[in-house]
Amino acid sequence: MPRGSRLGYIAQEAPGGSATPFETVLAADLERARLLDEAETTEDMDRLGEIHERLNAIDAHTAPARAARILVGLGFDEEMQHRPLDSYSGGWRMRVALAALLFSEPDLLLLDEPSNHLDLEAVLWLENFLRAYRATIVIVSHERDFLNNVVDHILHLERGKITLYPGGYDAFERQRAERQAQQAAAREK
């Protein structure tokens, strides 16, 4: 990966505590949070100007709306966004972890079974979000429809060898079967 690239994944431990889902998602943008904290304490007006320039460059003023939009997509209405995390089940807190990850916009997004804790409406929203995602995504999933709707390549690992197949899961299965048939025919000759 290029130097300075950001890798994003969801930890196994669901977030908890008295913070709200909204606060948790906003806090996921570490640069924005650091700059806002520094802006509150700096007395250097030149530095304050630099901070505000950077906040504008990273579109920090739209962060609350982006965070709320992601949370709504994952099933959190307005009231739910402002309840403490500890009032939620583990599945809902994992949704918060997913929302925070998506909000942070890493350069390489690693997702392991991202649809696990989601209902159908949230899965459909996530599919649309991921199709529009501008960076690289690596997904591990057993959900055929999800893979067909989101990915444009499949990496298949078998017997220590990795093969890249273009297309979604159905295209992968078709190409893999054709390849296996060609290999079997070549062995018979």
Side-chain angles (χ1 to χ4, degrees):
M1 287 179 48
R3 184 180 203 98
S5 294
R6 293 175 303 125
L7 174 70
Y9 60 92
I10 296 176
Q12 294 292 335
E13 185 75 24
S18 62
T20 67
F22 185 74
E23 292 165 342
T24 301
V25 171
L26 279 178
D29 185 342
L30 300 176
E31 180 182 16
R32 177 184 169 275
R34 181 183 54 75
L35 289 169
L36 289 173
D37 285 345
E38 187 179 352
E40 291 292 320
T41 59
T42 189
E43 294 180 11
D44 179 346
M45 289 302 115
D46 289 333
R47 177 62 186 144
L48 186 59
E50 292 169 1
I51 291 169
H52 283 287
E53 281 181 29
R54 182 63 187 154
L55 287 169
N56 284 333
I58 64 172
D59 212 15
H61 66 283
T62 65
R66 287 184 287 123
R69 191 169 38 254
I70 291 170
L71 284 164
V72 166
L74 292 175
F76 291 86
D77 64 25
E78 177 72 23
E79 183 270 329
M80 292 174 72
Q81 291 181 35
H82 299 288
R83 287 186 5 217
L85 287 173
D86 284 345
S87 69
Y88 289 100
S89 69
W92 280 97
R93 287 185 290 142
M94 290 308 288
R95 286 185 189 214
V96 173
L98 177 59
L101 175 62
L102 298 175
F103 179 76
S104 70
E105 298 180 332
D107 301 305
L108 175 59
L109 180 59
L110 302 176
L111 297 173
D112 184 9
E113 301 291 352
S115 58
N116 267 2
H117 301 285
L118 305 179
D119 57 22
L120 179 60
E121 189 174 314
V123 169
L124 295 174
W125 177 87
L126 181 61
E127 287 176 359
N128 287 326
F129 185 93
L130 294 176
R131 275 196 300 267
Y133 197 75
R134 296 180 306 248
T136 301
I137 306 170
V138 176
I139 299 173
V140 175
S141 178
H142 291 91
E143 297 290 330
R144 167 186 242 124
D145 289 337
F146 185 80
L147 292 171
N148 277 326
N149 293 332
V150 175
V151 306
D152 56 15
H153 286 82
I154 301 280
L155 264 177
H156 183 244
L157 174 63
E158 184 175 39
R159 297 183 193 148
K161 184 177 179 191
I162 294 179
T163 308
L164 180 66
Y165 294 90
Y169 191 82
D170 289 342
F172 153 72
E173 274 197 329
R174 186 177 57 258
Q175 293 170 56
R176 182 171 175 241
E178 290 168 1
R179 183 177 182 170
Q180 288 174 331
Q182 290 170 351
Q183 289 171 343
R187 283 192 299 270
E188 289 178 10
K189 288 183 180 182

